[in-house]
Amino acid sequence: MTDIHSIFSEGGELCQALPHYSPRDAQIDMAQAVQRAIEDHETVIIEAGTGTGKTFAYLIPALLSGKKVIVSTGTKHLQDQLYDKDLPLLKKIFKYKPVTTALLKGRSNYLCLYRIKTLRQRGRFENKKQVDDFYRIERYAGQDETGDITKLENFQDSTLASHVTSTTENCLHTECPDYEECFIFKARKKAMDADIIVINHHLFCADLSLKQEGFGELLPEADSIIIDEAHQLAETAGLFFSEQIGTKMFSDWLEDFNRLLALEAKDFSSHDSVASAIIEGMIELRKLLPEGNKRYALSEFYQDPKIADQLAHIADQLLELVVLTKPLIIRSKTLAQIVERLQELQESWTKITVTSQENPDDNTVVWLETYVHHLMICATPLDISEIFQKNSRGLKAGWVFTSATLAVNGKFAYFCAPLGLSDENTLCLKSPFNYKSNALFYHPPELPEPNHPTYIQKFIRSMLPVITEAKGRTFILFTSYRALNEAAEILKKSLSYPLFIQGDAPKITLIDQFREAGNGVLLGTTSFWEGVDVRGEALSCVIIEKLPFASPGDPIEQAKIDLINKKGLNAFINYQLPKSIITLKQGIGRLIRDPNDYGLLVIADPRLITKAYGKQFLSSLPEMAKTQKLERVQKFFEYVEKKRLE
């Protein structure tokens, strides 16, 4: 077994290869724990505080193990960073141990050669921009080896995106005439042959969810599986263990069906009137539901006879369409496949929208999400522990679950329970950063409760002098768009620093602009609480509007709360509170990103002091000085400026 300790220690290979590397006890402890899990096919759960260096702590044991290892990350951005930056650097350092690596994303990230060709043959474009986009996409497909659309600039803005990528439903698989050249097929083949495969949680959960039907393609090959940003896994897995059906899924099917008919069965038109009636019925259903983008429990609307009747009527019409299109099955394999896809849509629609309401399951919540023109209806399991264990147990792999935020007060029950994991083999490593010297926590006095109608106004007013002391250089993290938008309107009139507001530009663009400005104030909600890394002076203050309790108005949240309470447990203590603490820890993690960083943390919510549970939030903070005096904030930034000049 490789001596991991010596690699990370003073004078070791990392110190020799990386000029700015310094040994950290927490990183060594983590690397050794990961090595044991890989070698012994064990499961280890590790909270590694910000600055531990967890990426190297799991990648190096994986590289040196000689085993096939899957690394799953929370986002495609982190996935690209691992594959394009971290792994090449480590492979260069440890070139005496050659390994092959592969990057694998979900199919929607790859161009589909067959769909590009059929789009050209059909040649129906709505405007000149679509024509220009098509030629740019076609050119890229002919030049790029991977077909990875994330490398194609502004691709997501193109209205052709869904026309030149495939889905599980419309992919022809081995029947495709372009199968041998297929970007997805080549990426998966490379992954099957690689020693280390970098994927993301969506792909991991998609593959794991298929195992219950015997179709998982990737996971059975791995000796070890490393889950980074593991705090996101249970929620992502829950969505992939869900069943879903949407009005857009049918309109996409109909578009693909008509495109295929134009190529293979121009004489067929028996479906036109029924298909049109289904589209009209779905439009009418959308009109019966509230405007705006929001989630609702389906049960809220099922008592309305108009909505219930419309759901059932669409189910009947879908069945009629299946019967009408069945004669096409004998004409070709591609036509047979698309008819089978319609049958699956019909069965899902009936099961989710009709049967589930007539025969409800206590462990499933059926909910819908409304969009401007479409809606999606999902049946989501509330407790996935048995499903997750059943589908993962057969992999016979070593498991590493890690994140900067897994534990609540040093205990891992909140993370382990939803996944059915044991908390016997856990490791809680504190951040090596010196929060005592480099950070200050400020809790403003005399703010009203967050549900008070004037809370945002008074909150922003109390933060203006703080932002002035910080000379801009501030993140303000909100728990809702409503609060963010209200604050933005106030700040536009009263702030002299550059203001960056979530939604005005893509997330990465906003972060780059904020970093470049050097004195900006950025307003963000959920996605900015984690996965954002701004080092140095550009970010010197993180302000958190209020404690991040999830909205019980969300149908999945409410159903989970109800289920936990039905089991005789206290949902607030066992679920809502620990979830909020984990989210808060993520937000706090934006502040200090480097040993030389300094920063002020502000949590404005008065419930930190007025509610008994506030103590649990306070105990989750890193060890740092605390104050309620604005004068102390001023002195802190004077101290910071002095330190930076030394």
Side-chain angles (χ1 to χ4, degrees), residues 232-261:
Q232 301 174 2
L233 184 62
E235 188 169 345
T236 304
L239 293 176
F240 275 93
F241 289 132
S242 301
E243 291 184 76
Q244 62 181 27
I245 186 71
T247 56
K248 190 173 186 304
M249 293 170 71
F250 178 75
S251 59
D252 286 347
W253 174 86
L254 186 58
E255 189 172 332
D256 288 341
F257 183 64
N258 286 332
R259 183 187 296 123
L260 194 56
L261 290 182

Side-chain angles (χ1 to χ4, degrees), residues 32 87 119 121 130 188 196 205 223 284 324 328 344 349 379 382 408 431 444 460 480 484 560 576 597 639:
Q32 290 175 324
L87 276 171
L119 184 59
Q121 288 174 328
Q130 281 198 347
R188 286 181 175 171
I196 295 182
C205 292
D223 297 308
E284 183 60 30
L324 285 172
L328 291 170
E344 290 171 356
W349 183 277
L382 300 174
V408 177
S431 169
I460 292 297
S480 70
L484 182 150
K560 285 183 177 180
Q576 293 169 278
D597 277 356
Y639 162 78

Side-chain angles (χ1 to χ4, degrees), residues 280-396:
E280 289 171 10
M282 289 179 170
I283 291 171
E284 183 60 30
L285 176 63
R286 179 64 191 90
K287 288 179 181 177
L288 291 170
L289 296 166
E291 294 182 3
N293 293 13
K294 195 174 178 183
R295 288 181 177 183
Y296 303 90
L298 182 60
S299 57
E300 287 185 43
F301 304 107
Y302 205 74
Q303 301 308 314
D304 183 333
K306 287 184 179 179
I307 293 176
D309 289 348
Q310 192 71 341
L311 290 167
H313 185 54
I314 291 170
D316 292 340
Q317 289 178 313
L318 285 168
L319 182 58
E320 184 180 347
L321 189 58
V322 170
V323 173
L324 285 172
T325 55
K326 270 198 173 177
L328 291 170
I329 288 175
I330 60 173
R331 293 205 189 185
S332 73
K333 288 183 178 179
T334 51
L335 284 167
Q337 185 191 44
I338 203 162
V339 172
E340 182 182 342
R341 181 177 150 201
L342 172 64
Q343 187 169 349
E344 290 171 356
L345 286 173
Q346 178 269 323
E347 290 172 353
S348 293
W349 183 277
T350 303
K351 180 180 178 182
I352 296 172
T353 68
V354 181
T355 309
S356 69
Q357 298 303 296
E358 295 172 351
N359 301 290
D361 175 2
D362 285 345
N363 191 46
T364 303
V365 57
V366 181
W367 54 280
L368 61 87
E369 186 161 10
T370 54
Y371 303 94
V372 177
H373 301 296
H374 298 284
L375 63 96
M376 179 70 73
I377 309 175
C378 300
T380 298
L382 300 174
D383 182 350
I384 64 164
S385 56
E386 286 188 20
I387 309 172
F388 185 85
Q389 283 302 306
K390 177 186 174 184
N391 290 13
S392 62
R393 199 178 293 122
L395 301 179
K396 295 181 171 56

Side-chain angles (χ1 to χ4, degrees), residues 36 67 117 137 141 218 264 304-305 440 515 554 571 597 619:
R36 286 192 298 272
K67 298 188 177 184
K117 287 179 181 177
I137 290 166
L218 180 67
E264 297 189 24
D304 183 333
L440 175 69
R515 191 183 284 116
D554 180 90
D597 277 356
S619 66

Side-chain angles (χ1 to χ4, degrees), residues 531-548:
V532 176
D533 188 1
V534 178
R535 304 184 181 209
E537 294 184 42
L539 179 57
S540 298
C541 178
V542 169
I543 298 172
I544 293 174
E545 167 228 354
K546 67 177 183 179
L547 299 175

Side-chain angles (χ1 to χ4, degrees), residues 147-159:
D148 185 343
I149 60 172
T150 59
K151 298 176 183 177
L152 184 57
E153 190 176 355
N154 298 324
F155 176 82
Q156 296 297 348
D157 297 333
S158 173
T159 54

